[in-house]
């Protein structure tokens, strides 16, 4: 580690150590806003807001209004597996896809169920469990302080893994709209053991034989877990890069525009597990008649108070897209796989990206 990098390491370690650690998010009926080093319990049923009702809401009504979702990505080159589970209580959905970076093949599995049918959400991101059971897709997530156990079975693939947590998550809670708040936690994960099985008969299995990929200590993953009382209509953009760089450093990058705002930023990157907090960014999605030249521009407008600059171009390649409309509930969801180029400057540290594979998301929800 260079002297300059070592100085930045000390500065960020000091900043991280100053962040509060909370045993509970809700205190005296109200959420604690800000960025934290850790929040152990999201006790959302203790929340009370006179803006929702002058009388205390019953727990079942508070539970009904709370949206919750979880996204995990696992990278074992050339394969990339992404899966998510979300509930808005009126409906619960899950998806999984596997992408082969060499052959550009994509296999998708998805399922939707009314209300919380064959689903269960208990506890939270620190100690809890999420279960979804459907004929097309079964997913169980067991959360513990040190790891996340994943069991998944779908038409195209099966997954069993124990994902190890690191020591520097991004945990943030902000107001959303006039009546609500949103908590989210993003963090890097490793997968020292487990396996992915690509089932026989898929586009990715040669000679129709099942293929098993062992996960190892070099496998990388990341978590995005969110719970909150969001705006009735919500739209966000999101960037996620999880990749080894040419110099051997591992980069996890999280950038977003929307949801967690209000003067705060849920933007951060991790270099070999060390967190660096980043300022707000803007997303410009450029859709042209010629789709081959479509790009997204993700950048930070430096107004002179920050020693950070972000300037990235995303070129989309493949997409998982899903559109639902049920009157009062609707969703337009696009998660793109593509290539990022550009750079991030953190002080005198420069992270250069040259056609690095990552995700970009554009999501509108009415719930």
């Amino acid at each position: 580690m260079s002297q300059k990098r070592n100085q930045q390491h000390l500065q960020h370690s000091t900043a991280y150590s100053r962040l509060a650690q909370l045993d509970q998010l809700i205190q005296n009926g109200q959420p604690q806003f800000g960025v934290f080093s850790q929040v152990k319990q999201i006790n959302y049923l203790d929340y009370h807001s006179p803006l929702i009702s002058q009388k205390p809401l019953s727990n079942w009504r508070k539970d009904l209004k709370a949206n919750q979702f979880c996204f995990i990505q696992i990278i074992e080159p050339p394969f990339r597996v992404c899966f998510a589970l979300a509930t808005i209580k009126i409906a619960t959905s899950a998806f999984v896809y596997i992408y082969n970076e060499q052959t550009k093949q994509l296999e998708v599995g998805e399922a939707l169920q009314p209300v919380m049918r064959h689903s269960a959400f208990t506890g939270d991101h620190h100690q809890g469990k999420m279960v979804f059971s459907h004929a097309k897709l079964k997913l169980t997530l067991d959360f513990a302080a040190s790891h996340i156990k994943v069991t998944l079975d779908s038409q195209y693939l099966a997954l069993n893994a124990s994902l190890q947590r690191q020591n520097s998550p991004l945990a943030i809670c902000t107001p959303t709209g006039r009546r609500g708040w949103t908590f989210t936690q993003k963090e890097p994960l490793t997968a020292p053991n487990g396996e992915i099985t690509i089932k026989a008969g898929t586009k990715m299995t040669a000679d129709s034989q099942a293929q098993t990929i062992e996960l190892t200590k070099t496998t990388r993953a990341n978590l995005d877990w969110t719970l909150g009382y969001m705006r009735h209509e919500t739209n966000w953009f999101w960037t996620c890069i999880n990749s080894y760089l040419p110099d051997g450093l591992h980069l996890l990058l999280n950038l977003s525009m929307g949801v967690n705002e209000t003067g705060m930023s849920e933007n951060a990157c991790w270099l070999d597990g060390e967190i660096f907090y980043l300022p707000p960014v803007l997303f410009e999605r450029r859709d042209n008649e010629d789709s081959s030249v479509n790009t997204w521009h993700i950048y930070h407008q430096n107004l002179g108070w920050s020693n950070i600059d972000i300037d990235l171009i995303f070129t989309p390649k493949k997409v998982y897209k899903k559109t639902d409309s049920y009157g009062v509930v609707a969703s337009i969801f696009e998660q793109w796989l593509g290539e990022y180029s550009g750079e991030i400057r953190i002080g005198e540290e420069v992270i250069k990206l040259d056609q690095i594979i990552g995700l970009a998301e554009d999501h509108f929800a009415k719930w």
Side-chain angles (χ1 to χ4, degrees):
M1 181 182 291
S2 68
Q3 183 177 359
K4 293 177 181 177
R5 178 100 192 277
N6 189 46
Q7 290 173 347
Q8 291 181 350
H9 169 80
L10 292 174
Q11 291 172 354
H12 283 83
S13 295
T14 301
Y16 186 80
S17 67
R18 290 174 179 169
L19 295 176
Q21 177 177 301
L22 302 182
D23 289 331
Q24 293 186 323
L25 181 68
I26 309 300
Q27 299 179 16
N28 299 318
Q30 296 301 306
Q32 305 303 294
F33 295 129
V35 179
F36 307 99
S37 63
Q38 186 181 59
V39 181
K40 293 184 178 180
Q41 184 182 11
I42 313 303
N43 54 322
Y44 67 99
L45 293 180
D46 294 333
Y47 173 51
H48 170 74
S49 173
L51 293 176
I52 295 178
S53 172
Q54 294 299 320
K55 297 179 181 180
L57 287 178
S58 59
N59 282 356
W60 73 266
R61 290 187 63 190
K62 285 187 282 187
D63 190 41
L64 181 65
K65 291 176 179 288
N67 300 326
Q68 184 177 345
F69 58 85
C70 176
F71 171 86
I72 292 178
Q73 177 180 213
I74 300 176
I75 296 99
E76 178 57 44
F79 298 104
R80 183 176 298 258
V81 177
C82 299
F83 52 94
L85 175 55
T87 184
I88 57 172
K89 305 307 179 347
I90 296 174
T92 302
S93 63
F95 72 78
V96 59
Y97 64 79
I98 183 168
Y99 178 65
N100 187 323
E101 297 176 7
Q102 293 178 346
T103 64
K104 314 303 181 188
Q105 293 170 313
L106 179 71
E107 292 272 23
V108 177
E110 58 187 16
L112 174 70
Q113 300 192 123
V115 292
M116 296 280 289
R117 188 170 184 265
H118 299 312
S119 306
F121 293 71
T122 57
D124 51 35
H125 68 300
H126 192 70
Q127 295 284 347
K129 192 170 187 176
M130 302 172 73
V131 178
F132 180 86
S133 181
H134 188 278
K136 295 182 179 179
L137 178 58
K138 295 179 174 60
L139 175 61
T140 299
L141 301 170
D142 277 301
F143 296 88
S146 62
H147 65 278
I148 304 167
K149 186 177 180 182
V150 180
T151 305
L152 183 150
D153 188 30
S154 71
Q155 179 181 355
Y156 300 112
L157 68 99
L159 168 67
N160 284 281
S162 179
L163 306 178
Q164 300 301 303
R165 313 184 89 150
Q166 310 301 297
N167 297 320
S168 53
L170 171 73
I172 178 172
C173 182
T174 60
T176 44
R178 182 170 178 259
R179 300 172 180 241
W181 52 267
T182 301
F183 172 86
T184 189
Q185 178 154 316
K186 327 278 188 179
E187 61 182 292
L189 307 166
T190 59
N193 58 75
E195 62 182 25
I196 301 167
T197 300
I198 306 175
K199 296 185 177 180
T202 71
K203 291 183 291 186
M204 296 187 188
T205 48
D207 302 323
S208 298
Q209 298 297 312
Q211 180 181 359
T212 299
I213 301 103
E214 298 290 336
L215 305 182
T216 69
K217 63 181 181 181
T218 60
T219 304
R220 290 295 177 264
N222 58 279
L223 168 73
D224 183 339
W225 189 95
T226 297
L227 183 147
Y229 299 90
M230 302 175 189
R231 297 178 182 90
H232 175 58
E233 291 191 0
T234 304
N235 187 207
W236 68 75
F237 289 89
W238 180 56
T239 277
C240 179
I241 298 175
N242 190 332
S243 178
Y244 284 99
L245 301 178
D247 62 3
L249 285 176
H250 178 263
L251 170 69
L252 174 61
L253 175 66
N254 184 91
L255 300 174
S256 69
M257 184 177 75
V259 184
N260 273 325
E261 305 255 341
T262 322
M264 307 297 293
S265 167
E266 68 169 58
N267 299 330
C269 70
W270 290 258
L271 290 174
D272 282 347
E274 178 190 352
I275 190 169
F276 291 79
Y277 296 99
L278 303 177
V281 295
L282 296 170
F283 282 69
E284 292 181 2
R285 180 174 176 177
R286 302 163 178 169
D287 289 331
N288 303 285
E289 290 185 8
D290 181 2
S291 61
S292 66
V293 296
N294 287 350
T295 58
W296 300 20
H297 187 199
I298 302 100
Y299 64 97
H300 160 236
Q301 184 180 16
N302 196 323
L303 300 178
W305 54 266
S306 172
N307 68 345
I308 295 174
D309 283 295
I310 301 169
D311 192 2
L312 302 174
I313 295 294
F314 174 74
T315 304
K317 300 294 184 181
K318 290 275 189 178
V319 66
Y320 166 59
K321 184 174 182 179
K322 183 174 175 59
T323 301
D324 297 302
S325 182
Y326 305 102
V328 296
V329 176
S331 174
I332 303 172
F333 178 83
E334 296 181 22
Q335 189 169 103
W336 290 86
L337 295 117
E339 296 174 345
Y340 282 91
S341 294
E343 65 180 32
I344 301 171
R345 291 181 175 267
I346 305 174
E348 298 183 15
E349 178 90 15
V350 181
I351 305 170
K352 291 186 177 295
L353 304 179
D354 183 12
Q355 297 181 322
I356 297 295
I357 293 179
L359 309 178
E361 186 174 291
D362 183 353
H363 189 188
F364 167 80
K366 183 169 69 172
W367 38 32

